[in-house]
Amino acid sequence: MALITLYDRYAPTLLALLQNILGASTESDELLQELFLEVWCKASTYQPQRGTVRAWLILRARERGLQMLEERDDLEPHEPPVAFLPPDWDPAIHPAEVAGEDPLFGQERAAVQRAVGALPRDQQRILAWYYFANTGPEAATKAFPLRPEHMFAHLTVAHQQLREIMHQTRR
Amino acid sequence: MTGHPEDALFAYQLGALNAEEANRVQNHLQTCVRCGSLLAQVGEDIAQLALTLPPVQPQPVIRESLLYSLSEINRFTELLAPLTEQLGKSAAETQTVLDRLDEPGAWSEGDLAGVHLHPVNDIPGATFVRLTPGTAMPLDETTRTTVLILQGTCRGTAGTMHNAGEVLQVQGDKPFDYIAMAGPDLIYLSRDQESSPS
């Protein structure tokens, strides 16, 4: 079944993303399953001219994860890791390839990690916050005491720096 | 922000623009094909960033549960009305036909690679066809065929894209007129017009 092929290929990436947004919880597991059911039911709406299946899945997972984060009314909300790379990240001690995974996937991951790792710390922090924790303008104001135009500039420069490396490595 | 908002697309896709700017970009995207294409590229960039994270293997129970849930749902239910019209059956009968599409062994291999078929038993000339991406729609050169797309996208003559829910009147007078695009398999109901009741 086509959906299970997609699941086997992308579920580990999507679960890593959801756990970064929501924490390693049953919520992340349940959302992963819901996401694939949604994909199955809405497969007819996928339009290749709007992007690859991989991008469709990852962008939808991020959107659903952030929605769920925003809907939480915990007094002490989960603090997501809000980082693409661990603070002690070093390509020599953090191999990108994972046992059993398509090796080309690991090569792409290593290249993207290097690209993100080359960004200045401030840009990494802002990019990661918007990626994993963006629950709206109020939360952004609390997280960063920067004027919106400065945030925008940080994101734009980060994207320009990442883009070249990412396009070269994309599968 | 004036003209094409290329520089704002990354922040837009990340949800980092304020409401006024986001609306402006959204309105622009509704009419600008070029920026729509750039947004797709930005979406690929943003998706690729997720690869920085070490993958997490889900518990096997999630996969098992997903398989069970898939056996309980039919993803084509939204297209019940146009299918009912095409098949000339009642809604309940059409639903039964749809349910069979997801049964194991429902599809048999066609004569061409990448083509699978599921004939509708009691309707001559009516067949569900499943094409893997990149496969051309097998068309009879002499027969006009009505095609109702249930899933996926195909590129037709002159590069036009056709999506689920669309009905096409096609004739196989040129090879490779309609090709299944990347993504989920293209699934459609094919009905020879000569076999259709008038």
Side-chain angles (χ1 to χ4, degrees), chain B residues 29-118:
Chain B
L29 287 168
Q30 284 173 359
T31 55
C32 181
V33 176
R34 178 170 157 268
C35 285
S37 169
L38 286 174
L39 183 70
Q41 289 175 34
V42 167
E44 299 294 329
D45 294 344
I46 290 176
Q48 202 179 14
L49 280 170
L51 296 185
T52 53
L53 307 171
V56 178
Q57 202 60 46
Q59 299 285 329
V61 69
I62 299 177
R63 193 178 191 276
E64 287 162 21
S65 173
L66 184 63
L67 276 170
Y68 176 77
S69 300
L70 291 178
S71 67
E72 297 286 300
I73 56 173
N74 188 296
R75 64 196 185 284
F76 303 121
T77 303
E78 284 179 15
L79 293 166
L80 190 61
L83 258 176
T84 301
E85 189 181 326
Q86 288 293 325
L87 293 174
K89 289 174 172 281
S90 70
E93 288 168 334
T94 305
Q95 185 64 60
T96 305
V97 171
L98 278 175
D99 288 342
R100 285 194 198 121
L101 291 181
D102 283 335
E103 287 175 4
W107 298 87
S108 57
E109 285 190 21
D111 292 337
L112 301 170
V115 179
H116 287 80
L117 305 171
H118 176 94

Side-chain angles (χ1 to χ4, degrees), chain A residues 77-129:
Chain A
H78 156 74
E79 288 292 337
V82 191
F84 284 102
L85 301 166
D88 61 342
W89 178 78
D90 178 340
I93 57 170
H94 289 92
E97 290 181 27
V98 174
E101 190 186 34
D102 180 345
L104 288 175
F105 231 53
Q107 287 169 20
E108 189 180 2
R109 177 174 302 109
V112 180
Q113 284 178 343
R114 279 197 303 274
V116 172
L119 292 176
R121 283 277 167 194
D122 276 357
Q123 278 177 19
Q124 276 190 48
R125 211 162 57 86
I126 291 171
L127 181 60
W129 187 86

Side-chain angles (χ1 to χ4, degrees), chain A residues 4 7-8 12 16 33 40 44 46 48 51-52 55 58 62 84 98 108-109 113 130-131 134 155 159 166-167 169-170, chain B residues 10 14-16 44-48 50-56 58 62-63 65 70 73 75 150 153 164 182-184:
Chain A
I4 289 300
Y7 178 88
D8 291 340
Q33 190 180 332
W40 180 241
S44 62
Y46 167 74
T52 58
I58 292 174
R62 177 177 170 268
F84 284 102
V98 174
E108 189 180 2
R109 177 174 302 109
Q113 284 178 343
Y130 274 106
Y131 204 91
N134 179 15
L155 290 173
H159 183 222
M166 293 171 74
H167 283 203
T169 58
R170 189 167 298 151
Chain B
F10 187 68
L14 279 177
E44 299 294 329
D45 294 344
I46 290 176
Q48 202 179 14
L51 296 185
T52 53
L53 307 171
V56 178
I62 299 177
R63 193 178 191 276
S65 173
L70 291 178
I73 56 173
R75 64 196 185 284
L150 301 183
T153 304

Side-chain angles (χ1 to χ4, degrees), chain A:
Chain A
M1 190 181 286
L3 187 79
I4 289 300
T5 308
L6 276 184
Y7 178 88
D8 291 340
R9 189 171 172 80
Y10 295 116
T13 300
L14 299 179
L15 187 56
L17 171 61
L18 293 173
Q19 288 192 355
N20 241 49
I21 295 172
L22 297 166
S25 59
T26 50
E27 240 180 344
S28 298
D29 290 348
E30 284 167 7
L31 186 50
L32 179 73
Q33 190 180 332
E34 264 182 44
L35 193 70
F36 276 94
L37 287 174
E38 180 187 320
V39 164
W40 180 241
C41 292
K42 292 190 174 172
S44 62
T45 64
Y46 167 74
Q47 295 184 20
Q49 61 270 36
R50 291 191 179 175
T52 58
V53 172
R54 179 174 86 177
W56 185 48
L57 288 169
I58 292 174
L59 295 178
R60 186 63 183 143
R62 177 177 170 268
E63 187 184 357
R64 291 285 307 269
L66 288 175
Q67 274 170 1
M68 196 171 263
L69 186 67
E70 195 176 356
E71 285 162 8
R72 277 185 179 166
D73 53 3
D74 298 355
L75 291 174
E76 291 182 32
H78 156 74
E79 288 292 337
V82 191
F84 284 102
L85 301 166
D88 61 342
W89 178 78
D90 178 340
I93 57 170
H94 289 92
E97 290 181 27
V98 174
E101 190 186 34
D102 180 345
L104 288 175
F105 231 53
Q107 287 169 20
E108 189 180 2
R109 177 174 302 109
V112 180
Q113 284 178 343
R114 279 197 303 274
V116 172
L119 292 176
R121 283 277 167 194
D122 276 357
Q123 278 177 19
Q124 276 190 48
R125 211 162 57 86
I126 291 171
L127 181 60
W129 187 86
Y130 274 106
Y131 204 91
F132 300 119
N134 179 15
T135 51
E138 266 184 43
T141 310
K142 277 186 196 167
F144 299 103
L146 286 175
R147 292 171 64 85
E149 56 267 32
H150 291 153
M151 302 284 278
F152 180 85
H154 273 295
L155 290 173
T156 306
V157 171
H159 183 222
Q160 283 167 352
Q161 289 187 3
L162 290 170
R163 192 164 46 189
E164 194 175 334
I165 298 170
M166 293 171 74
H167 283 203
Q168 282 169 4
T169 58
R170 189 167 298 151
R171 290 181 61 197

Side-chain angles (χ1 to χ4, degrees), chain B residues 108-191:
Chain B
S108 57
E109 285 190 21
D111 292 337
L112 301 170
V115 179
H116 287 80
L117 305 171
H118 176 94
V120 183
N121 285 338
D122 51 349
I123 303 182
T127 304
F128 288 98
V129 184
R130 203 180 82 213
L131 303 183
T132 54
T135 307
M137 198 180 276
L139 297 170
D140 188 318
E141 289 182 10
T142 56
T143 311
R144 283 186 67 76
T145 306
T146 302
V147 163
L148 168 61
I149 302 175
L150 301 183
Q151 173 183 292
T153 304
C154 68
R155 190 184 64 226
T157 46
T160 315
M161 295 292 186
H162 302 286
N163 299 305
E166 285 188 49
V167 178
L168 314 174
Q169 304 293 335
V170 299
Q171 189 158 3
D173 51 1
K174 288 179 194 165
F176 309 114
D177 265 356
Y178 294 88
I179 296 178
M181 299 302 290
D185 288 354
L186 178 71
I187 298 180
Y188 60 90
L189 172 69
S190 165
R191 184 133 199 226

